Amino acid sequence: MHWRKLVEASRLYRTLEARDRFYWSYREAERTAWQSPKPELENCKKLITFLNQWSTHTPLTPPQVQLVFESLYSMLCELRTIHFVDLKDSHLGAIQDAFDKVAQSGERRYESTGAAKILHIWAPNSLVMWDAAISAGYGIYRDATAPRPSGKDYAFTFLPRLQAEASEAIGTCMVEKGLDRKEAVQAIEESACREPFTKLLDEYNYAKYTLSADSLWKS
């Protein structure tokens, strides 16, 4: 995508999706909630509430969230130091395992949409949210044998394909504005009045695939 499409999508998203306020109010209220290797159960409860505000209806309980976060803490600390566009193939296996561990923590079902949202909250600069419409937009379809996209789909198909989109957006900004890559990411965020960059990518995906905004399908 061109970087201006990314900015356009973010503005469309804010116009069309009233629940966006839930994301920012949660981020602001819980800015330090996930710094400790054992988060408070109250923080886990608030995360579940945030997920359900988006009609996720997660089967996870606060103790399950606490337990899975503890088990992933070291890996998440490492991921937090890596910008999304700098994720390497060597990181993808760990991301797959983390995704599956979160998605399988609930007792009633494998929770694919909720897992991506949770991992983004825990590593906001590195990992991107999705839903069923977005995963289908990236060529990941559900069927009777795989009713929900998996950690493998997320790590080895979705993330690399989205990285390619992101790299194109950054590249067009670099050329137009004469910037290096880091400066281009910052310029895009500033143009959209949004950060982190992963949230911008989610807003593009959500506006295009979940909300089907017509203008994003036009060159």
Side-chain angles (χ1 to χ4, degrees):
M1 83 192 87
H2 192 280
W3 74 271
R4 294 187 189 278
K5 280 291 183 185
L6 195 53
V7 174
E8 176 190 348
S10 178
R11 292 171 180 164
L12 277 171
Y13 170 85
R14 278 174 271 180
T15 300
L16 298 171
E17 183 48 77
R19 291 174 298 179
D20 181 54
R21 68 188 188 278
F22 296 141
Y23 176 87
W24 298 106
S25 61
Y26 175 82
R27 282 280 306 277
E28 182 61 30
E30 297 293 288
R31 193 168 294 276
T32 62
W34 306 103
Q35 301 304 311
S36 166
K38 186 169 184 177
E40 298 291 333
L41 284 173
E42 183 62 24
N43 297 132
C44 301
K45 181 178 179 181
K46 289 177 182 178
L47 177 57
I48 291 169
T49 299
F50 163 72
L51 294 176
N52 290 337
Q53 286 172 321
W54 289 85
S55 303
T56 302
H57 304 303
T58 178
L60 291 170
T61 64
Q64 289 169 337
V65 171
Q66 185 185 60
L67 187 63
V68 74
F69 180 82
E70 286 182 75
S71 71
L72 297 174
Y73 180 74
S74 295
M75 186 273 284
L76 291 168
C77 286
E78 179 181 353
L79 269 182
R80 287 170 182 167
T81 68
I82 304 168
H83 192 281
F84 169 74
V85 295
D86 295 323
L87 288 174
K88 307 298 184 189
D89 290 348
S90 58
H91 302 127
L92 300 183
I95 293 171
Q96 175 187 342
D97 292 344
F99 187 101
D100 285 333
K101 186 170 286 190
V102 175
Q104 292 166 350
S105 293
E107 296 177 356
R108 297 198 304 274
R109 66 173 186 266
Y110 183 94
E111 183 45 68
S112 181
T113 297
K117 283 180 164 49
I118 288 171
L119 287 174
H120 169 75
I121 292 297
W122 289 347
N125 292 310
S126 308
L127 300 176
V128 183
M129 297 180 281
W130 73 357
D131 61 19
I134 292 168
S135 62
Y138 283 83
I140 301 164
Y141 301 100
R142 299 181 290 177
D143 58 33
T145 60
R148 294 178 185 274
S150 68
K152 183 178 180 181
D153 294 324
Y154 179 80
F156 287 93
T157 301
F158 173 67
L159 292 183
R161 290 178 182 177
L162 183 55
Q163 276 187 316
E165 285 273 71
S167 293
E168 182 179 359
I170 295 166
T172 56
C173 187
M174 290 170 65
V175 170
E176 286 189 9
K177 293 180 175 288
L179 303 173
D180 65 26
R181 191 172 71 163
K182 184 177 180 180
E183 291 169 338
V185 170
Q186 184 177 355
I188 293 169
E189 290 176 339
E190 290 175 352
S191 294
C193 300
R194 278 294 206 237
E195 61 81 24
F197 191 69
T198 50
K199 182 64 166 62
L200 275 178
L201 294 172
D202 173 68
E203 291 173 359
Y204 172 84
N205 287 337
Y206 196 89
K208 183 171 184 177
Y209 298 112
T210 306
L211 300 177
S212 299
D214 286 341
S215 64
L216 299 179
W217 293 91
K218 299 173 183 176
S219 59

